[in-house]
Amino acid sequence: MRQLQFSQYAAPCVAAYSGNNGGSNGVRGITGDTITIAVRATSDASGPNAQALDKLNQQAGNPSNAEQRQILDALVPYFNKNFELFGRQVKLVDFNGQGNGTSEAQSQGQDAACADADAIASSVKAFGVIELPASNSMYVSQPFAECAKRYGLYLPLGAPYFPELWYQRWDPYVWAGTHLSASASPTTWPNTSASAWPTAPPSGRATRPTRWRTASSPPTSPTTTATSAA
């Protein structure tokens, strides 16, 4: 099957997949041919704050926001070619939201964020959501992550730097490569009761359902097929 064989993180090789992938398997945003991912732009994505951050980012030697979007568009065909999606291709769909990115960065504006999540789920009918690339990030906000759980939207880049307990609450929809351990101080998270925090980190890493399993046949459902360390 297709995978990045040169990576030490690649799963063991298995036979190439062939056969019926099950079509949508009853999952919104999935067909026999496509996986629809919405690219959400907040209402202030081109506002003064975004422009100021874009300028600082470029001064630091990083690509502009426009260039980052070009990079994303170039990487999607590479992803489709090199990863086993059981006959499907990832398709990006732009979505202009009413949520305000500056407010959401301060854990505010959840009503507008949820209106966006509702529209993406009901109108765009996407399987998942990423944020419009800006300042080297496609991570969505904490308010939108709350809404994604409510509307069943997969977030591969969920709200960054939140405690592991928050991702457990958002499970299985919200994922992130950046989070705080369970032993992080609760005093920095005003909406979390200190009594809810363990006195020590868990002995093992949390497991969550994976969306796609590395096996010779497709999952019966793209959302619940196997578990892996997160």
Side-chain angles (χ1 to χ4, degrees):
M1 69 189 300
R2 289 182 294 176
Q3 59 185 355
L4 297 176
Q5 297 181 3
F6 55 82
S7 171
Q8 62 180 326
Y9 299 106
C13 292
V14 296
Y17 165 74
S18 64
N20 187 341
N21 64 14
S24 71
N25 290 319
V27 178
R28 182 193 61 236
I30 303 291
T31 70
D33 303 316
T34 60
I35 303 167
T36 300
I37 302 294
V39 181
R40 176 185 180 239
T42 56
S43 61
D44 60 337
S46 299
N49 283 348
Q51 292 179 28
L53 288 173
D54 189 18
K55 182 177 180 180
L56 289 172
N57 199 44
Q58 291 180 64
Q59 290 173 348
N62 295 308
S64 68
N65 290 349
E67 290 169 333
Q68 290 174 46
R69 178 55 197 264
Q70 293 173 355
I71 293 170
L72 171 63
D73 290 338
L75 285 175
V76 170
Y78 176 84
F79 180 84
N80 286 331
K81 180 180 179 181
N82 288 280
F83 286 84
E84 182 58 77
L85 302 175
F86 304 105
R88 301 179 178 91
Q89 300 276 287
V90 169
K91 179 182 71 172
L92 300 182
V93 177
D94 290 330
F95 176 82
N96 294 318
Q98 57 180 288
N100 183 283
T102 303
S103 295
E104 291 179 27
Q106 303 173 74
S107 293
Q108 301 171 3
Q110 186 165 328
D111 287 346
C114 282
D116 287 353
D118 185 8
I120 291 171
S122 60
S123 299
V124 180
K125 300 187 184 303
F127 175 65
V129 185
I130 57 175
E131 203 79 1
L132 182 71
S135 302
N136 301 324
S137 175
M138 293 185 292
Y139 277 92
V140 303
S141 67
Q142 173 262 328
F144 190 83
E146 300 283 359
C147 306
K149 166 77 173 185
R150 183 184 307 176
Y151 291 98
L153 292 166
Y154 165 54
L155 303 185
L157 296 171
Y161 306 114
F162 276 76
E164 174 66 18
L165 290 177
W166 288 56
Y167 299 103
Q168 293 174 5
R169 189 178 77 212
W170 295 328
D171 179 74
Y173 298 101
V174 181
W175 296 63
T178 56
H179 67 272
L180 299 179
S181 71
S183 60
S185 171
T187 59
T188 59
W189 304 99
N191 296 323
T192 305
S193 169
S195 62
W197 289 73
T199 56
S203 58
R205 302 183 70 187
T207 60
R208 303 191 185 100
T210 58
R211 265 52 182 189
W212 311 103
R213 64 180 174 184
T214 51
S216 57
S217 60
T220 54
S221 167
T223 56
T224 54
T225 56
T227 58
S228 65

